[in-house]
Amino acid sequence: MIPALLAQIGLPLLIKAVGAGLDHIDNPIAKSAAEGLKQVEDAVTKGDVTPAQILEANRHTERMAEIELARDTETLKSVNRTIRAEVASEDAFVRRWRPSFGYAVALTWIMTMGAIAAAIILTPLQAPAIIAALVNTSPIWGIALGVLGVSVVKRSADKKM
């Protein structure tokens, strides 16, 4: 998706936009990157970077977008084949894994949040450490809830058919 966007707006505009954005970040690395992009922008303006080079960079970006689109298309085809196989399956578990997973995630979520609430109530001095430790569970919950979200959306679409 990003290469497609780059191909549409072109390299010079992108350099200017990203450089301006990075310049407003109070960080030495961001400032350095903004300065580097300013130098590239100046080189483009002066003609040190030729229009042919810019066209080639844009062509390369367009090609990257085509490759990314082809990859995404193949991924979606694979997911579609998998879901069709699930729906066609005679195995009860294969047909019911989505609701089972949903109930498992819900039960786990309730137990986790209940344990955290109890720990905070029973040991209020430890609340900041408990809440900070909760951040470490974000990747696990992000994946579980992401899978659950896709499953729910897909199941809703299946029911409309």
Side-chain angles (χ1 to χ4, degrees):
M1 184 169 147
I2 291 177
L5 180 62
L6 295 178
Q8 290 176 354
I9 65 173
L11 189 59
L13 184 59
L14 179 65
I15 290 170
K16 187 173 194 148
V18 172
L22 287 174
D23 196 37
H24 287 86
I25 297 174
D26 188 23
N27 179 290
I29 297 170
K31 296 286 185 192
S32 176
E35 181 56 36
L37 287 171
K38 178 69 174 146
Q39 291 173 4
V40 172
E41 182 183 358
D42 291 343
V44 169
T45 304
K46 291 178 189 173
D48 293 341
V49 176
T50 66
Q53 290 171 316
I54 292 172
L55 282 173
E56 179 59 23
N58 284 339
R59 187 202 59 74
H60 177 73
T61 303
E62 288 170 1
R63 179 67 182 130
M64 286 174 32
E66 291 171 5
I67 291 169
E68 184 176 321
L69 179 61
R71 186 194 70 227
D72 291 348
T73 300
E74 286 305 312
T75 301
L76 289 173
K77 284 180 182 177
S78 175
V79 169
N80 192 12
R81 280 191 302 270
T82 301
I83 291 172
R84 286 178 189 259
E86 279 179 24
V87 170
S89 176
E90 296 299 321
D91 182 10
F93 179 76
V94 171
R95 286 193 319 268
R96 292 189 182 104
W97 80 266
R98 292 171 204 256
S100 299
F101 183 75
Y103 291 129
V105 168
L107 181 61
T108 307
W109 181 266
I110 290 168
M111 290 170 43
T112 302
M113 293 305 132
I116 290 169
I120 289 173
I121 290 168
L122 296 174
T123 57
L125 295 177
Q126 296 297 320
I130 293 169
I131 293 168
L134 189 57
V135 172
N136 294 327
T137 66
S138 294
I140 294 169
W141 284 114
I143 291 168
L145 294 174
V147 169
L148 183 60
V150 169
S151 297
V152 168
V153 168
K154 179 57 187 150
R155 184 64 184 139
S156 297
D158 289 346
K159 288 181 178 179
K160 288 181 184 177
M161 292 181 171

